[in-house]
């Protein structure tokens, strides 16, 4: 039997037979859905970039060197210089109209569409929001806000198709850290990798077909460029590299392309370690030298266009290809807030909501 609740404010009240000093309780339990992305600096100035990079590069999931070795190097040499170059990269892609990064703009748009779709299915029983692992809105602020709104159960959805320790795992870590601070924790489900989900592959191949239809010259190579990781991560059991390779294969098979038409490469390498390869920036130059003058490139591991795609691919990697003799370089945007992408994410979320609504 449900305890009668006397409403003090919309959505919360006091138990009818409780003492007068009893804290407010929610009148109707809801389910929260949180879309979690990597993060974004608040601005492109030196100190904003330094705060963001310090949080990001201090994460043991991202750089797992001993703190006594890494932190003096990071806080000294690296963060004295890198905020300038990273700020310049962000300024080249910044959404000046909204004064925010494109990643923030797109993640908000994805959340708005997801909220609309879930409201049509479940009414007011579901609250939808988004958070960033680094920067704002923080995981802590969003999970606390959903709990205050009466979400006793939460589906936490890191927006990474392929599971990786430096991406999916650290997003989940942060969510669990927030729960550790709560007296009354909501139940939580974390969403698994969805790189082989049929709806995700459908959206991915749709984006490629649409891009190819608008080209005068068909590319002789399609390059799937994923964010790289040190090879050591693969050897220590991280499935990311293998899931990237499988994504490319499933995508190629669905498109009906031959093995010779599609390559897998990895970008954004830094530091002295050996990383999984080939490196995209070098690979596209080698393709041009081999006679592949017309290529297309996409980033299946990114759910939203960001500095790695808008600046690194479309500037640095593009220049590497052209300087090596390439002629046509076609960048196929991330799935962003395409309707078929939102449908794919919705199917994944609905699977995790099973039994809760």
């Amino acid at each position: 039997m449900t305890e009668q609740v006397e409403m003090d404010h919309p959505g919360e009240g006091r138990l009818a037979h409780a003492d007068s000093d009893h804290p407010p309780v929610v009148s109707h339990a809801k389910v929260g859905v949180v879309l979690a992305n990597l993060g974004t600096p608040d601005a492109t100035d030196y100190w904003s970039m330094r705060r963001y990079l310090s949080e990001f590069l201090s994460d043991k999931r991202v750089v797992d060197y001993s703190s006594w070795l890494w932190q003096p190097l990071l806080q000294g040499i690296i963060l004295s210089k890198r905020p300038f170059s990273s700020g310049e990269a962000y300024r080249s892609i910044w959404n000046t109209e909204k004064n925010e990064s494109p990643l923030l703009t797109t993640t908000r748009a994805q959340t708005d569409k997801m909220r609309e779709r879930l409201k049509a299915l479940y009414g007011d029983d579901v609250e939808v929001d988004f958070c960033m692992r680094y920067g704002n809105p923080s995981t802590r602020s969003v999970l606390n806000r959903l709990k205050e709104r009466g979400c006793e159960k939460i589906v936490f959805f890191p927006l990474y198709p392929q599971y990786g320790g430096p991406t999916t795992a650290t997003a989940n870590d942060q969510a669990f850290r927030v729960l550790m601070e709560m007296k009354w924790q909501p139940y939580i489900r974390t969403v698994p990798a969805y790189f082989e989900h049929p709806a995700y592959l459908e959206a991915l191949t749709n984006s490629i077909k649409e891009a190819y239809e608008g080209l005068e010259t068909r590319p002789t190579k399609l390059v799937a460029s994923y964010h790289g990781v040190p090879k050591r991560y693969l050897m220590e059991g991280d499935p990311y590299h293998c899931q990237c390779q499988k994504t490319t294969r499933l995508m190629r098979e669905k498109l009906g392309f031959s093995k010779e038409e599609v390559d897998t490469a990895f970008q954004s390498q830094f530091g002295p370690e050996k990383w999984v390869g080939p490196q995209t920036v070098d690979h596209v130059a080698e393709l041009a030298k081999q006679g592949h003058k017309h290529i297309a490139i996409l980033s299946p591991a990114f759910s939203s266009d960001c500095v790695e795609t808008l600046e690194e691919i479309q500037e640095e990697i593009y220049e590497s290809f052209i300087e090596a003799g390439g002629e046509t370089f076609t960048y196929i945007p991330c799935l962003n807030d395409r309707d078929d992408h939102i449908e794919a994410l919705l199917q994944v979320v609905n699977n995790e909501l099973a039994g809760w609504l």
Side-chain angles (χ1 to χ4, degrees), residues 124-137:
D124 295 329
D125 289 340
V126 177
E127 291 273 347
V128 183
D129 212 332
F130 74 94
C131 70
M132 298 293 174
R133 171 61 183 90
Y134 316 104
N136 295 302

Side-chain angles (χ1 to χ4, degrees), residues 270-331:
F270 69 92
E273 283 195 78
K274 181 176 178 58
W275 283 44
V276 295
Q279 294 301 307
T280 307
V281 67
D282 299 325
H283 186 64
V284 296
E286 185 61 30
L287 288 176
K289 294 173 184 176
Q290 292 173 0
H292 292 283
K293 304 299 183 182
H294 310 281
I295 70 169
I297 186 168
L298 78 162
S299 299
F302 295 96
S303 61
S304 308
D305 275 306
C306 53
V307 69
E308 286 87 355
T309 63
L310 299 174
E311 192 275 336
E312 185 179 0
I313 288 183
Q314 296 191 66
E315 295 183 23
E316 179 186 352
I317 293 171
Y318 163 78
E319 290 171 1
S320 176
F321 176 69
I322 297 300
E323 289 174 1
E327 296 177 9
T328 305
F329 182 96
T330 301
Y331 174 66

Side-chain angles (χ1 to χ4, degrees), residues 4-273:
Q4 182 181 354
V5 176
E6 297 174 352
M7 299 301 295
D8 287 346
H9 303 287
E12 67 174 37
R14 297 185 183 279
L15 297 173
H17 304 292
D19 293 337
S20 60
D21 61 349
H22 192 285
V25 297
V26 297
S27 61
H28 176 67
K30 299 180 180 181
V31 176
V33 174
V34 180
L35 304 184
N37 218 322
L38 181 74
T40 172
D42 294 324
T44 62
D45 63 277
Y46 174 83
W47 289 109
S48 295
M49 292 304 310
R50 182 173 178 124
R51 283 193 301 272
Y52 172 71
L53 290 171
S54 180
E55 182 182 12
F56 174 47
L57 296 175
S58 294
D59 187 348
K60 285 285 191 178
R61 289 283 194 179
V62 176
V63 181
D64 61 358
Y65 301 150
S66 298
S67 296
W68 69 267
L69 175 67
W70 175 242
Q71 281 299 322
L73 181 63
L74 174 64
Q75 301 299 329
I77 298 173
I78 296 175
L79 291 181
S80 294
K81 299 179 179 180
R82 188 158 178 174
F84 291 109
S85 59
S86 294
E88 183 179 356
Y90 270 96
R91 279 190 292 276
S92 71
I93 65 165
W94 202 250
N95 182 342
T96 54
E97 182 180 345
K98 294 188 176 183
N99 191 28
E100 62 188 25
S101 74
L103 177 68
L104 180 56
T105 303
T106 301
T107 306
R108 183 186 298 107
Q110 292 169 332
T111 304
D112 289 344
K113 287 190 174 183
M114 180 66 74
R115 183 181 297 112
E116 181 180 339
R117 299 290 297 276
L118 287 173
K119 185 175 180 62
L121 291 173
Y122 305 113
D124 295 329
D125 289 340
V126 177
E127 291 273 347
V128 183
D129 212 332
F130 74 94
C131 70
M132 298 293 174
R133 171 61 183 90
Y134 316 104
N136 295 302
S138 69
T139 305
R140 176 172 283 98
S141 66
V142 171
L143 290 182
N144 281 326
R145 181 162 62 245
L146 288 179
K147 188 174 185 301
E148 290 171 0
R149 291 177 179 174
C151 294
E152 295 185 359
K153 301 173 182 177
I154 292 175
V155 173
F156 190 77
F157 191 174
L159 292 176
Y160 309 107
Q162 300 80 16
Y163 175 96
T167 52
T168 312
T170 189
N172 291 338
D173 288 348
Q174 189 66 6
F176 298 143
R177 288 189 192 99
V178 176
L179 264 62
M180 289 172 64
E181 301 170 356
M182 294 181 176
K183 294 293 185 184
W184 184 0
Q185 296 174 331
Y187 301 102
I188 191 164
R189 289 176 178 172
T190 59
V191 176
Y194 57 98
F195 67 97
E196 54 188 349
H197 194 287
Y200 162 71
L201 292 169
E202 181 73 17
L204 201 59
T205 54
N206 284 346
S207 72
I208 298 167
K209 291 174 184 177
E210 291 168 12
Y212 271 46
E213 288 173 359
L215 299 177
E216 293 183 4
T217 304
R218 180 184 173 88
T220 57
K221 278 286 187 181
L222 173 65
V223 179
S225 180
Y226 301 85
H227 198 291
V229 292
K231 188 173 181 179
R232 173 171 54 88
Y233 286 25
L234 167 64
M235 305 312 294
E236 291 174 350
D238 191 310
Y240 175 75
H241 177 264
C242 298
Q243 292 183 1
C244 291
Q245 296 285 358
K246 189 171 183 180
T247 301
T248 300
R249 177 176 64 80
L250 294 174
M251 177 185 72
R252 174 180 59 77
E253 292 173 351
K254 190 170 181 62
L255 287 166
F257 287 8
S258 68
K259 291 183 179 179
E260 290 70 28
E261 288 182 274
V262 185
D263 289 350
T264 297
F266 297 87
Q267 63 185 86
S268 309
Q269 177 176 339
F270 69 92
E273 283 195 78

